[in-house]
Amino acid sequence: MYFKKRYILFLFAAVAAFSCESNFKEVQRINSVVFSPATEADSINLKYTDSGKVKAVLVSTKMHDYSILEYRFNEFPKGIHVTLYDDNGQQTNIVADYAINYAKTSIIDLQGHVKITTQDGKKMETEQLYYDQKNEWFYTERYFKFTDGAGGYLEGPGIDFSKDFKYMNTQQSSGQVNNIK
């Protein structure tokens, strides 16, 4: 008799547990947020100009536009290639496997094999990098490697720098500097 009561109690607990799991999954599904882009674009080539001069060119094979959300953003799920131009026409090229451009903050989040190269041979490589468009400033907490085109290099976790590499702040880096101006 004791065994039978214990068995019935166990059976009741098992049924209750499985029915709660089913309801829990339903609640999770109901509360999940699904973002749908307002528009999608294939093979884009955007040019940003200021006073008649091209300042930047963005090329991507895919863009999702989420401009209908409160915190608007554009997603580039298949990567981007950006060319920045300074006042002297010097180019800085940026390539990443994935990117998100946040409209309100003017921050671009670059992810996956991020590489920045300049015409004078400077190169920065990391897995994630943020670009503050208003201040023209890059930063990351991830491991990076910077080469200066003259044989010098710098590597380590965390760096922030100006878009022309003239100003840099590092955290715990090591490397070899051949020429300081």
Side-chain angles (χ1 to χ4, degrees):
M1 183 78 163
Y2 174 73
F3 178 72
K4 192 174 186 181
K5 285 182 183 178
R6 199 168 182 195
Y7 176 74
I8 291 173
L9 184 61
F10 174 75
L11 185 62
F12 178 74
V15 169
F18 285 117
S19 66
C20 289
E21 182 178 329
S22 174
N23 289 338
F24 180 70
K25 287 182 180 180
E26 181 68 16
V27 169
Q28 281 182 319
R29 187 190 64 75
I30 291 170
N31 289 329
S32 69
V33 177
V34 177
F35 291 124
S36 294
T39 58
E40 293 184 22
D42 294 322
S43 302
I44 64 167
N45 187 335
L46 299 174
K47 291 177 177 59
Y48 171 73
T49 60
D50 185 11
S51 303
K53 289 185 176 181
V54 175
K55 294 291 186 176
V57 177
L58 184 147
V59 177
S60 181
T61 58
K62 187 71 156 178
M63 181 184 82
H64 297 157
D65 177 22
Y66 294 91
S67 60
I68 59 173
L69 300 174
E70 182 179 353
Y71 297 102
R72 302 180 322 260
F73 65 94
N74 293 319
E75 177 186 42
F76 302 90
K78 294 186 177 181
I80 62 168
H81 182 267
V82 178
T83 304
L84 303 175
Y85 297 93
D86 68 10
D87 293 334
N88 299 323
Q90 295 292 312
Q91 293 182 17
T92 301
N93 294 297
I94 305 164
V95 178
D97 293 342
Y98 177 86
I100 297 179
N101 180 18
Y102 297 99
K104 284 188 178 181
T105 60
S106 296
I107 300 291
I108 300 175
D109 179 2
L110 304 158
Q111 299 177 27
H113 301 100
V114 181
K115 187 187 295 186
I116 301 174
T117 55
T118 63
Q119 281 185 287
D120 59 357
K122 295 174 184 156
K123 182 167 64 171
M124 173 70 68
E125 296 174 280
T126 186
E127 280 303 309
Q128 183 173 26
L129 189 66
Y130 297 96
Y131 179 57
D132 180 342
Q133 297 174 79
K134 289 179 186 172
N135 297 310
E136 298 184 327
W137 200 260
F138 289 95
Y139 56 95
T140 186
E141 296 295 319
R142 300 278 180 99
Y143 179 86
F144 72 92
K145 182 167 185 180
F146 170 76
T147 52
D148 64 9
Y153 70 95
L154 195 60
E155 61 187 347
I159 187 170
D160 61 283
F161 56 95
S162 60
K163 78 173 185 177
D164 57 6
F165 294 109
K166 287 184 180 177
Y167 302 99
M168 294 180 151
N169 300 309
T170 62
Q171 294 176 13
Q172 298 174 353
S173 60
S174 63
Q176 175 181 329
V177 178
N178 295 329
N179 189 7
I180 299 177
K181 292 182 183 180

